Amino acid sequence: QFLGSTEVEQPKGTEVVRDAVRKLKFARHIKKSEGQKTPKVELQISIYGVKILDPKTKEVQHNCQLHRISFCADDKTDKRIFTFICKDSESNKHLCYVFDSEKCVKEITLTIGQAFDLAYRKFLESGGKDVETRKQIAGLQKRIQELETENAELKNKVQDLENQLRITQVHASPAGSVTPKSPSTDIFDMVPFSPISPQSSTPTRNGTQPPPVPSRSTEIKRDLFGAEPFDPFSCGAGDFPPDIQSKLDEMQEGFKMGLTLEGTVFCLDPLDSRC
């Protein structure tokens, strides 16, 4: 069982280890009262270090390199407890790892001691080159883990962008359909001038006249009752009876001589069915 790890002030010492054990035992007691179980782990001990793995998934939880382990010991007062102190590679803090094993405490202690002896012999045989090689390998493994984590984050970002793009395409208008656009307006909510819009009859500033107004439509419009409305532009002399036309001619001659309609008496007798 892995009780956990805690920071210690010194890289070695029996009292330092005992304080760490008391702290982690108290923390385990609180977790048990809350219904949490102490996790079980598997240890892999070699001349390169001690690996703490999950016994089911074999996932490495902690990798303590042997040259960073400064102290290891079992508890004389509690035969189930085994500890070692290792310097963390990232924070450079000394951490004390505490384990609880009913039967394997002595075996673990002897195995780590043998690993130290073999590593020291290999160091003497290689002239110190093997230690540098292990450091380089450890650095490369750490870099590989960082790159794998970064790669996974980038894949997640790419997947999120692809999902957003699909959502945008779904909400977009169907292909082939053209949405009519309303003409843009200015700040006064007026449609701006365009060459195809009707032109004003006012002359331009340079004195030139604009193009002539398009001719009137020849289509005959009718009023609400179906009759053709009066059009003074198309009215001719043949549109009225002779008696009405003669009166109109007299009035026109009077207007030319300067007469007005003031004081004139009009008769309301019907002269024609159209009047």
PDB file of all heavy atoms in Angstrom, residues 58-75:
ATOM      1  N   LYS A  58      -0.695  -0.950 -15.068  1.00  0.00           N
ATOM      2  CA  LYS A  58       0.763  -0.860 -15.247  1.00  0.00           C
ATOM      3  C   LYS A  58       1.205   0.562 -15.627  1.00  0.00           C
ATOM      4  O   LYS A  58       2.284   0.753 -16.182  1.00  0.00           O
ATOM      5  CB  LYS A  58       1.260  -1.844 -16.310  1.00  0.00           C
ATOM      6  CG  LYS A  58       0.875  -3.292 -16.034  1.00  0.00           C
ATOM      7  CD  LYS A  58       1.439  -3.783 -14.702  1.00  0.00           C
ATOM      8  CE  LYS A  58       1.036  -5.220 -14.425  1.00  0.00           C
ATOM      9  NZ  LYS A  58       1.573  -5.730 -13.134  1.00  0.00           N
ATOM     10  N   GLU A  59       0.393   1.548 -15.316  1.00  0.00           N
ATOM     11  CA  GLU A  59       0.750   2.938 -15.600  1.00  0.00           C
ATOM     12  C   GLU A  59       1.738   3.444 -14.549  1.00  0.00           C
ATOM     13  O   GLU A  59       1.551   3.220 -13.350  1.00  0.00           O
ATOM     14  CB  GLU A  59      -0.502   3.813 -15.599  1.00  0.00           C
ATOM     15  CG  GLU A  59      -0.229   5.284 -15.888  1.00  0.00           C
ATOM     16  CD  GLU A  59      -1.480   6.126 -15.811  1.00  0.00           C
ATOM     17  OE1 GLU A  59      -2.570   5.565 -15.580  1.00  0.00           O
ATOM     18  OE2 GLU A  59      -1.365   7.357 -15.972  1.00  0.00           O
ATOM     19  N   VAL A  60       2.794   4.109 -15.006  1.00  0.00           N
ATOM     20  CA  VAL A  60       3.821   4.618 -14.099  1.00  0.00           C
ATOM     21  C   VAL A  60       3.303   5.874 -13.397  1.00  0.00           C
ATOM     22  O   VAL A  60       3.001   6.883 -14.045  1.00  0.00           O
ATOM     23  CB  VAL A  60       5.122   4.927 -14.862  1.00  0.00           C
ATOM     24  CG1 VAL A  60       6.169   5.485 -13.902  1.00  0.00           C
ATOM     25  CG2 VAL A  60       5.653   3.671 -15.536  1.00  0.00           C
ATOM     26  N   GLN A  61       3.179   5.812 -12.091  1.00  0.00           N
ATOM     27  CA  GLN A  61       2.727   6.961 -11.305  1.00  0.00           C
ATOM     28  C   GLN A  61       3.901   7.837 -10.876  1.00  0.00           C
ATOM     29  O   GLN A  61       3.789   9.057 -10.880  1.00  0.00           O
ATOM     30  CB  GLN A  61       1.948   6.467 -10.083  1.00  0.00           C
ATOM     31  CG  GLN A  61       0.690   5.672 -10.426  1.00  0.00           C
ATOM     32  CD  GLN A  61      -0.016   5.146  -9.194  1.00  0.00           C
ATOM     33  OE1 GLN A  61       0.504   5.253  -8.072  1.00  0.00           O
ATOM     34  NE2 GLN A  61      -1.185   4.552  -9.385  1.00  0.00           N
ATOM     35  N   HIS A  62       5.023   7.226 -10.495  1.00  0.00           N
ATOM     36  CA  HIS A  62       6.223   7.960 -10.091  1.00  0.00           C
ATOM     37  C   HIS A  62       7.437   7.193 -10.600  1.00  0.00           C
ATOM     38  O   HIS A  62       7.465   5.952 -10.552  1.00  0.00           O
ATOM     39  CB  HIS A  62       6.305   8.112  -8.561  1.00  0.00           C
ATOM     40  CG  HIS A  62       5.139   8.817  -7.955  1.00  0.00           C
ATOM     41  ND1 HIS A  62       5.032  10.192  -7.913  1.00  0.00           N
ATOM     42  CD2 HIS A  62       4.018   8.331  -7.365  1.00  0.00           C
ATOM     43  CE1 HIS A  62       3.901  10.525  -7.323  1.00  0.00           C
ATOM     44  NE2 HIS A  62       3.265   9.413  -6.979  1.00  0.00           N
ATOM     45  N   ASN A  63       8.413   7.937 -11.083  1.00  0.00           N
ATOM     46  CA  ASN A  63       9.667   7.340 -11.540  1.00  0.00           C
ATOM     47  C   ASN A  63      10.811   8.009 -10.790  1.00  0.00           C
ATOM     48  O   ASN A  63      11.205   9.139 -11.093  1.00  0.00           O
ATOM     49  CB  ASN A  63       9.821   7.517 -13.049  1.00  0.00           C
ATOM     50  CG  ASN A  63      11.049   6.811 -13.594  1.00  0.00           C
ATOM     51  OD1 ASN A  63      11.682   6.006 -12.894  1.00  0.00           O
ATOM     52  ND2 ASN A  63      11.416   7.109 -14.826  1.00  0.00           N
ATOM     53  N   CYS A  64      11.329   7.326  -9.784  1.00  0.00           N
ATOM     54  CA  CYS A  64      12.386   7.878  -8.946  1.00  0.00           C
ATOM     55  C   CYS A  64      13.732   7.312  -9.412  1.00  0.00           C
ATOM     56  O   CYS A  64      14.003   6.108  -9.242  1.00  0.00           O
ATOM     57  CB  CYS A  64      12.144   7.513  -7.479  1.00  0.00           C
ATOM     58  SG  CYS A  64      10.539   8.060  -6.845  1.00  0.00           S
ATOM     59  N   GLN A  65      14.547   8.157 -10.021  1.00  0.00           N
ATOM     60  CA  GLN A  65      15.835   7.708 -10.523  1.00  0.00           C
ATOM     61  C   GLN A  65      16.759   7.400  -9.345  1.00  0.00           C
ATOM     62  O   GLN A  65      16.746   8.077  -8.312  1.00  0.00           O
ATOM     63  CB  GLN A  65      16.443   8.774 -11.423  1.00  0.00           C
ATOM     64  CG  GLN A  65      15.581   9.084 -12.643  1.00  0.00           C
ATOM     65  CD  GLN A  65      16.127  10.234 -13.460  1.00  0.00           C
ATOM     66  OE1 GLN A  65      17.222  10.732 -13.203  1.00  0.00           O
ATOM     67  NE2 GLN A  65      15.361  10.663 -14.456  1.00  0.00           N
ATOM     68  N   LEU A  66      17.570   6.375  -9.550  1.00  0.00           N
ATOM     69  CA  LEU A  66      18.376   5.868  -8.443  1.00  0.00           C
ATOM     70  C   LEU A  66      19.393   6.894  -7.949  1.00  0.00           C
ATOM     71  O   LEU A  66      19.643   6.995  -6.740  1.00  0.00           O
ATOM     72  CB  LEU A  66      19.094   4.581  -8.873  1.00  0.00           C
ATOM     73  CG  LEU A  66      19.640   3.721  -7.733  1.00  0.00           C
ATOM     74  CD1 LEU A  66      18.503   3.160  -6.895  1.00  0.00           C
ATOM     75  CD2 LEU A  66      20.503   2.575  -8.275  1.00  0.00           C
ATOM     76  N   HIS A  67      19.971   7.659  -8.857  1.00  0.00           N
ATOM     77  CA  HIS A  67      20.980   8.627  -8.422  1.00  0.00           C
ATOM     78  C   HIS A  67      20.360   9.809  -7.667  1.00  0.00           C
ATOM     79  O   HIS A  67      21.084  10.613  -7.079  1.00  0.00           O
ATOM     80  CB  HIS A  67      21.785   9.145  -9.620  1.00  0.00           C
ATOM     81  CG  HIS A  67      20.990   9.982 -10.568  1.00  0.00           C
ATOM     82  ND1 HIS A  67      20.189   9.445 -11.562  1.00  0.00           N
ATOM     83  CD2 HIS A  67      20.860  11.333 -10.671  1.00  0.00           C
ATOM     84  CE1 HIS A  67      19.623  10.416 -12.240  1.00  0.00           C
ATOM     85  NE2 HIS A  67      20.005  11.572 -11.729  1.00  0.00           N
ATOM     86  N   ARG A  68      19.026   9.912  -7.682  1.00  0.00           N
ATOM     87  CA  ARG A  68      18.348  10.966  -6.925  1.00  0.00           C
ATOM     88  C   ARG A  68      17.867  10.479  -5.557  1.00  0.00           C
ATOM     89  O   ARG A  68      17.403  11.277  -4.745  1.00  0.00           O
ATOM     90  CB  ARG A  68      17.168  11.529  -7.724  1.00  0.00           C
ATOM     91  CG  ARG A  68      17.596  12.309  -8.945  1.00  0.00           C
ATOM     92  CD  ARG A  68      16.388  12.906  -9.664  1.00  0.00           C
ATOM     93  NE  ARG A  68      16.801  13.737 -10.788  1.00  0.00           N
ATOM     94  CZ  ARG A  68      17.129  15.018 -10.699  1.00  0.00           C
ATOM     95  NH1 ARG A  68      17.071  15.634  -9.526  1.00  0.00           N
ATOM     96  NH2 ARG A  68      17.498  15.698 -11.762  1.00  0.00           N
ATOM     97  N   ILE A  69      17.922   9.167  -5.301  1.00  0.00           N
ATOM     98  CA  ILE A  69      17.525   8.625  -4.002  1.00  0.00           C
ATOM     99  C   ILE A  69      18.682   8.806  -3.023  1.00  0.00           C
ATOM    100  O   ILE A  69      19.797   8.301  -3.238  1.00  0.00           O
ATOM    101  CB  ILE A  69      17.140   7.139  -4.125  1.00  0.00           C
ATOM    102  CG1 ILE A  69      15.914   6.998  -5.050  1.00  0.00           C
ATOM    103  CG2 ILE A  69      16.826   6.546  -2.755  1.00  0.00           C
ATOM    104  CD1 ILE A  69      15.494   5.562  -5.299  1.00  0.00           C
ATOM    105  N   SER A  70      18.437   9.538  -1.981  1.00  0.00           N
ATOM    106  CA  SER A  70      19.502   9.871  -1.024  1.00  0.00           C
ATOM    107  C   SER A  70      19.434   9.077   0.272  1.00  0.00           C
ATOM    108  O   SER A  70      20.416   9.008   1.020  1.00  0.00           O
ATOM    109  CB  SER A  70      19.441  11.373  -0.686  1.00  0.00           C
ATOM    110  OG  SER A  70      18.161  11.712  -0.168  1.00  0.00           O
ATOM    111  N   PHE A  71      18.285   8.441   0.554  1.00  0.00           N
ATOM    112  CA  PHE A  71      18.153   7.729   1.825  1.00  0.00           C
ATOM    113  C   PHE A  71      16.991   6.751   1.714  1.00  0.00           C
ATOM    114  O   PHE A  71      15.940   7.073   1.140  1.00  0.00           O
ATOM    115  CB  PHE A  71      17.891   8.723   2.967  1.00  0.00           C
ATOM    116  CG  PHE A  71      17.888   8.107   4.333  1.00  0.00           C
ATOM    117  CD1 PHE A  71      19.074   7.830   4.999  1.00  0.00           C
ATOM    118  CD2 PHE A  71      16.695   7.810   4.969  1.00  0.00           C
ATOM    119  CE1 PHE A  71      19.083   7.270   6.279  1.00  0.00           C
ATOM    120  CE2 PHE A  71      16.691   7.258   6.244  1.00  0.00           C
ATOM    121  CZ  PHE A  71      17.894   6.984   6.896  1.00  0.00           C
ATOM    122  N   CYS A  72      17.180   5.539   2.250  1.00  0.00           N
ATOM    123  CA  CYS A  72      16.084   4.572   2.313  1.00  0.00           C
ATOM    124  C   CYS A  72      16.227   3.762   3.597  1.00  0.00           C
ATOM    125  O   CYS A  72      17.361   3.461   4.043  1.00  0.00           O
ATOM    126  CB  CYS A  72      16.068   3.646   1.102  1.00  0.00           C
ATOM    127  SG  CYS A  72      17.559   2.655   0.876  1.00  0.00           S
ATOM    128  N   ALA A  73      15.092   3.394   4.206  1.00  0.00           N
ATOM    129  CA  ALA A  73      15.141   2.684   5.488  1.00  0.00           C
ATOM    130  C   ALA A  73      13.770   2.123   5.801  1.00  0.00           C
ATOM    131  O   ALA A  73      12.746   2.597   5.283  1.00  0.00           O
ATOM    132  CB  ALA A  73      15.591   3.618   6.606  1.00  0.00           C
ATOM    133  N   ASP A  74      13.756   1.103   6.657  1.00  0.00           N
ATOM    134  CA  ASP A  74      12.491   0.586   7.197  1.00  0.00           C
ATOM    135  C   ASP A  74      12.337   1.094   8.629  1.00  0.00           C
ATOM    136  O   ASP A  74      13.310   1.493   9.276  1.00  0.00           O
ATOM    137  CB  ASP A  74      12.453  -0.943   7.147  1.00  0.00           C
ATOM    138  CG  ASP A  74      13.685  -1.559   7.790  1.00  0.00           C
ATOM    139  OD1 ASP A  74      14.536  -0.781   8.288  1.00  0.00           O
ATOM    140  OD2 ASP A  74      13.809  -2.777   7.794  1.00  0.00           O
ATOM    141  N   ASP A  75      11.096   1.103   9.084  1.00  0.00           N
ATOM    142  CA  ASP A  75      10.802   1.637  10.422  1.00  0.00           C
ATOM    143  C   ASP A  75      10.998   0.527  11.453  1.00  0.00           C
ATOM    144  O   ASP A  75      10.350  -0.529  11.373  1.00  0.00           O
ATOM    145  CB  ASP A  75       9.358   2.167  10.452  1.00  0.00           C
ATOM    146  CG  ASP A  75       9.086   3.003  11.694  1.00  0.00           C
ATOM    147  OD1 ASP A  75       9.916   2.972  12.624  1.00  0.00           O
ATOM    148  OD2 ASP A  75       8.048   3.695  11.713  1.00  0.00           O
TER     149      ASP A  75
END
